[in-house]
Amino acid sequence: MQYNNIEMFKLLVEYSIEKGIKLIIDENDIEKMISEKYYLCKLRNISEINSKFIELINFCKNKNIIEVIFSENSYFLKKFNEINENKRIENENRDYKILEIENEIKKIKFEKENKKEEKNENENELMKIELENERKAEEKIENENEIKIKELENERKAKEKIKKENELMKIELEEERKAKEKIEKENESMKKELEEERKAKEKIEKENESMKKELEEERKAKEKIKKENEIKKIELENERKAKEKIEKENEIKIRELENEKKAKEKIEKENELMKKELENERKAKEKIEKENELMKKELEKERKTREKIKKENEIKIKELENERKTKEKIENENELMKKELEEEKKEKEKKKRGKIRKEELYN
């Protein structure tokens, strides 16, 4: 009410009608909330309540849907009286409004029913989905059962196959047993033959042993002869080695003599080379001595030329000294001449001044 929200009030009225609850509006509470400036209340005065709101309350009060408790100076009562006074004038409007309100209430009910139906439809869809899932699960179980049945069938076939194989194996084993018995009989006959062969071999072995003894005696005789031959060979080998040793010693001595001869020849060659080198050194020394003598002569010449140049320089220095002295003398003479000229000039000026002074005095 404090927000003038008619739609909310209509829903509240509808809810009270559905549940059979009678709403109570206390005007005193509304005035108290406005006076205390309750934070949810946006009204500053009770007169700010929408007129349509008041008409709706009056309508619901007349229909015994709402009970209204009036205050002492009731604003609602005044408004209700005004509405009732204008009731006859506004019958059509009132009827229209009533119908409108009823239609709105019906619309609200219809919307609620639609919502319920939608909810039911959603629930039905969920149930359908669940049934579909159950059906799929049953199909899956059936498929699994079919697979298991197939597996069991395969196992049964495998068992039958194994049974047949076992029967075949039994037949084969029986045949093998018979074959073994046959082989055993053949082995017994072979054993007898082998026994006869063994006896014959023993006889042959005895003969071979006697032959071996004879061969052993012959071998021993041959070994004895062989040992004697080996001793002779060793003696001959020792003689040969001794001869080879003597020959090697002789060869070594010959080589040593040859080496000594070569060493002597080498020493002689080295001596000749040393002689040649000494001769070359002597010649080189002589050449160096000659060069040194030539250098000494050249140095002597240079020394003499230097002395000559020195003397000439001394003469030149003396000449320069004399020139310097003559220049100094000339300079002194020039200074004396300058002084004399200066004195002459002064005397001339003095004479000139005297003449000028005389002329002045004369004038």
Side-chain angles (χ1 to χ4, degrees), residues 8 41 52 54 66 157 251 263 273 303-304 339:
M8 183 67 75
C41 183
K52 287 184 180 180
I54 292 164
I66 294 170
K157 287 178 181 178
E251 284 177 359
L273 289 167
R303 187 179 62 76
K304 286 177 180 179
K339 284 178 181 179

Side-chain angles (χ1 to χ4, degrees), residues 134-262:
E134 285 177 1
R135 186 181 62 75
K136 286 178 180 178
E138 286 174 358
E139 286 178 357
K140 190 177 179 182
I141 291 159
E142 285 175 0
N143 290 325
E144 287 174 355
N145 290 328
E146 286 176 0
I147 290 160
K148 284 179 181 178
I149 289 161
K150 285 178 182 178
E151 286 175 355
L152 290 166
E153 187 67 24
N154 291 326
E155 284 178 2
R156 187 181 62 74
K157 287 178 181 178
K159 283 178 181 178
E160 286 177 357
K161 190 177 179 181
I162 291 160
K163 194 175 180 181
K164 286 178 182 178
E165 287 175 354
N166 288 329
E167 287 175 358
L168 290 167
M169 283 174 75
K170 282 178 182 178
I171 293 161
E172 287 175 357
L173 288 166
E174 187 66 25
E175 288 175 354
E176 282 179 2
R177 187 181 60 75
K178 288 177 181 178
K180 280 181 182 178
E181 286 176 356
K182 190 178 179 181
I183 290 160
E184 284 174 358
K185 287 177 182 178
E186 288 175 354
N187 287 331
E188 284 176 359
S189 63
M190 283 174 76
K191 279 178 183 178
K192 287 176 182 178
E193 289 174 358
L194 288 167
E195 187 67 25
E196 289 174 357
E197 284 180 2
R198 187 179 63 75
K199 287 177 181 178
K201 280 181 181 179
E202 285 177 356
K203 190 177 179 181
I204 291 160
E205 282 175 358
K206 285 177 182 179
E207 290 174 355
N208 287 329
E209 282 176 0
S210 62
M211 285 175 75
K212 278 179 183 178
K213 285 176 182 178
E214 290 174 359
L215 290 166
E216 186 69 23
E217 288 174 357
E218 286 179 2
R219 187 180 64 75
K220 285 178 180 179
K222 284 179 180 179
E223 282 179 357
K224 191 176 179 181
I225 293 159
K226 193 176 180 181
K227 284 178 182 178
E228 289 173 354
N229 289 327
E230 283 177 356
I231 290 161
K232 286 178 180 179
K233 279 181 183 178
I234 290 162
E235 288 174 354
L236 290 166
E237 187 68 25
N238 290 327
E239 286 177 1
R240 188 181 62 75
K241 285 179 180 178
K243 284 179 181 179
E244 285 178 355
K245 191 176 180 181
I246 292 159
E247 285 175 357
K248 283 179 181 178
E249 287 174 354
N250 290 327
E251 284 177 359
I252 289 160
K253 285 178 181 178
I254 290 160
R255 282 176 188 170
E256 286 175 354
L257 291 166
E258 188 71 26
N259 289 327
E260 284 177 1
K261 184 169 75 67
K262 286 179 180 178

Side-chain angles (χ1 to χ4, degrees), residues 273-285:
L273 289 167
M274 283 173 75
K275 282 177 183 178
K276 286 178 181 178
E277 286 175 357
L278 289 166
E279 186 67 24
N280 290 325
E281 283 179 1
R282 187 179 62 74
K283 287 178 180 178
K285 281 180 181 178

Side-chain angles (χ1 to χ4, degrees), residues 337-350:
M337 285 173 75
K338 280 179 182 179
K339 284 178 181 179
E340 287 174 356
L341 289 166
E342 189 71 28
E343 285 175 358
E344 284 178 1
K345 189 178 178 183
K346 284 178 180 179
E347 284 177 0
K348 282 179 180 180
E349 284 178 356
K350 194 175 179 181

